Every structure is written in C-alpha cells, then in structure tokens.
Amino acid sequence: MPELPEVETIRLGLIKRILGQKIVRVQVLEKKAFIGSVKNILNQEIINVERRGKLLRIFLDHDLELQVHFKLNGQILYQEEDLFKKNKYTRVILFLEDGSRIIFNDMRKFGWMKVAKRDLFKDSDYGIEPLTKYFTVKNLRKVVISSTKPIKTLLMDQKKIAGIGNIYACESLFQARINPFKIAKKLTTNEIDSLYKSITNILQCAIVKKGSSMRDEMYRQVTGELGEYQTQFLVYEKEGEKCFRCGSSIKRLKQGGRSTYCCKECQK
DNA sequence: CTGCGGTCCTGAAGGC
DNA sequence: TGCCTTCAGGACCGCA
C-alpha cells in the first residue's frame, strides 16, 4: 500500500508530534511484526523521523533507529491518550512519555518494525530517491538506458528508483504517454524527459493531497484521516472507463503478476 | 542478468 | 445462505 507519498505523509505527521519524546513502553501483539529487542529502544528519545523510499526511519538516541516497512496494508496512527483505540489488526503499540501512543496496524501481517543500528544502514540498497537533488533527468536517463526490463517493472525496482509502487508507476507512465511494456533502453530522450516530469509532478501532487486511500481504506494519515490523491487517478483501477485524453477504454493488463492499467491508444 | 511463480497473510467481492 | 475463486498498494526466494 503505502508508496513514497503515503510514507512521506506519515513521516510529516509524526515529525511534528513525537520529536523529543521518549518511548516508555512497547506492547507487541504480533511477534513477527517486531524484529529486534524491545529493551534496546526503551527510554530512548526520538530525535528525528526520516524516509528512504518506502521505508520509514524513526531515529533514536545511541545510534539506533526503528524502521517501519508498511508492505501492503501497514498503517501508523498517532493517538492522544484519551483517543486511544486499537483494533484487531493492531500489531505493535509504542507508548510515549506524555501518554500518547504510536500504533502499528497491519491486516495482512506482511509489514514489520525493526530495531537497527543507524550506522549499519546501507543507503546503496536503495535506488535514486525521487524529489531530492539526486533525482535528475541525467540520473534517470542513466538508469533507464541501461535496463532491458519493461519500463514499468524498472520504475518499481526499489534498487533502481526508490519509493514508486504500482499506483504511481501506472499514473506516471500514463501522464508521460509511455507504454508500460516498452523496454526501458528503447525509450527516447524525449520520453525520458517526459517521464522525469510526470514522476516528479505526480509524487509532489500526491504528497500535497496526503497520499492515496484506496477502497479498503487501509492507508490513513497518522491522524486517522484519509488521503485524497485517489480522486486524481487517471488510469489506476479505471478498467473499462474512458481515457481522460482520448476516450478509448482503459485496459487492465498483467505484468509480473501485478495489474497494469493503461490506455493502449495514448501510451505507445 | 531476466522473468516467472510461489510465498508470507487476511478479507472483500463476485459467480454459481 | 454458502462455497469457491480471484484479487489486493510489496518484496523475497528459488528456478529456468
């Protein structure tokens, strides 16, 4: 579920609420959801909240961090004491010193929280980070022209470009008028320029709209509110609807076991 | 190197 | 009503 814009929205929601707080108690309701020792993060102060691709990184004292990977259904909520509510999908609760709580929910149990040493974090495990100074047309071109994969598969390869999942890959390729099945190295210079602009534009807009909350409404902001970018989708989950640009029917095609949504007339 | 299918889980939706 | 299949935002693994 959460891709870059959703994780970034969660990061922004947390950073203005939890900095300087200490974690005073940790309740693990699902063992496999919490990797590492709870003891190591007790009484540690939260000093920053960062993000790399789809990975959320809560920085603590003593060179430690608590990483969160949301996979498909993970959710982080921030609750004041009096609003506290867990549900049947609550896997971990972090209690902060002022009585507030960070709740990690995950219906499908794919996601996890992990205690890790900050200096062991391998930035090179992740590809170019969009919306940073490293994400330039030149760097995107370098990655694109050296790959024989279909462009959509490449966009979702976290080791090449970090943070893009199925939704934003489909939407970016539609906006750039590129066929998701086109082999990356066959893209023209103009197409790569266009793709660069569409990725940047769509991710920025999605962050402004606080991410995308889909039909099962699993993604929420930390306040519990829904995101709003799903109202801007032009192809994702629009099978059979008319293309916004040319009016022909939006197709759903299988690609690497996943659904790819596109317009066969506009995306060549 | 690549693609493909299976795997970790739970639940919703649709067909019959 | 109930049973069955398919699908779901991610990522890893083994295999060809």
Side-chain angles (χ1 to χ4, degrees):
Chain A
M1 166 225 299
E3 303 180 27
L4 187 154
E6 289 76 31
V7 182
E8 181 65 10
T9 303
I10 290 166
R11 185 186 77 81
L12 293 169
L14 285 179
I15 204 164
K16 64 182 176 194
R17 293 177 171 88
I18 66 172
L19 286 194
Q21 289 286 314
K22 281 182 180 162
I23 299 168
V24 294
R25 186 159 82 90
V26 179
Q27 194 178 357
V28 178
L29 296 108
E30 170 65 44
K31 216 173 171 191
K32 74 184 282 272
F34 194 96
I35 303 159
S37 163
V38 164
K39 226 174 74 180
N40 288 345
I41 64 167
L42 284 183
N43 298 312
Q44 298 293 306
E45 183 180 334
I46 296 164
I47 60 172
N48 204 2
V49 186
E50 298 201 358
R51 179 189 56 74
R52 184 72 167 97
K54 301 172 191 172
L55 187 74
L56 185 74
R57 305 175 67 201
I58 300 172
F59 284 15
L60 307 170
D61 279 345
H62 298 104
D63 194 47
L64 286 176
E65 66 180 80
L66 186 60
Q67 301 173 345
V68 185
H69 202 303
F70 298 89
K71 295 295 179 87
L72 279 82
N73 293 277
Q75 185 181 68
I76 286 268
L77 299 176
Y78 174 83
Q79 302 250 1
E80 304 286 348
E81 190 170 22
D82 56 338
L83 292 174
F84 172 65
K85 258 204 181 82
K86 63 178 178 182
N87 64 31
K88 62 174 173 171
Y89 306 124
T90 300
R91 310 302 180 199
V92 181
I93 306 173
L94 307 178
F95 296 79
L96 306 184
E97 59 184 334
D98 68 353
S100 63
R101 288 132 171 168
I102 295 169
I103 298 170
F104 179 56
N105 295 333
D106 182 22
M107 184 184 76
R108 283 169 75 179
K109 299 184 180 176
F110 287 169
W112 42 259
M113 285 185 147
K114 181 155 81 180
V115 182
K117 289 199 166 180
R118 253 184 284 155
D119 65 0
L120 292 181
F121 185 78
K122 273 184 72 188
D123 194 73
S124 59
D125 284 347
Y126 298 81
I128 315 169
E129 184 67 43
L131 311 184
T132 68
K133 62 178 179 180
Y134 305 106
F135 190 63
T136 58
V137 184
K138 205 176 159 188
N139 282 342
L140 179 64
R141 185 175 299 134
K142 207 184 296 175
V143 167
V144 169
I145 64 175
S146 58
S147 172
T148 57
K149 288 178 180 172
I151 184 62
K152 188 206 172 204
T153 307
L154 175 66
L155 289 184
M156 292 173 65
D157 183 343
Q158 303 301 302
K159 289 189 158 48
K160 299 287 163 49
I161 301 162
I164 298 176
N166 207 18
I167 292 175
Y168 298 105
C170 290
E171 293 294 324
S172 298
L173 288 165
F174 175 76
Q175 186 167 311
R177 303 179 187 239
I178 298 167
N179 184 326
F181 291 84
K182 187 160 181 174
I183 299 302
K185 62 162 53 174
K186 294 194 171 175
L187 263 64
T188 64
T189 304
N190 280 346
E191 284 175 327
I192 297 171
D193 288 354
S194 178
L195 183 59
Y196 175 80
K197 285 180 194 149
S198 71
I199 291 170
T200 304
N201 173 253
I202 284 172
L203 294 179
Q204 278 172 350
C205 289
I207 292 169
V208 168
K209 294 283 186 183
K210 318 278 188 192
S212 303
S213 292
M214 302 299 297
R215 67 196 171 285
D216 58 9
E217 297 181 357
M218 282 311 290
Y219 161 72
R220 300 290 177 114
Q221 303 177 45
V222 300
T223 55
E225 295 165 281
L226 302 178
E228 289 174 2
Y229 191 73
Q230 66 278 8
T231 63
Q232 313 293 308
F233 290 171
L234 296 180
V235 285
Y236 190 77
E237 289 214 322
K238 300 278 183 198
E239 183 184 15
E241 292 184 34
K242 285 188 175 174
C243 169
F244 168 79
R245 275 195 301 253
C246 75
S248 75
S249 179
I250 301 294
K251 303 292 179 212
R252 176 164 71 105
L253 305 164
K254 278 283 167 210
Q255 195 169 14
R258 316 283 300 275
S259 289
T260 289
Y261 296 87
C262 60
C263 172
K264 287 183 137 181
E265 300 305 315
C266 298
Q267 294 174 262
K268 298 292 186 186

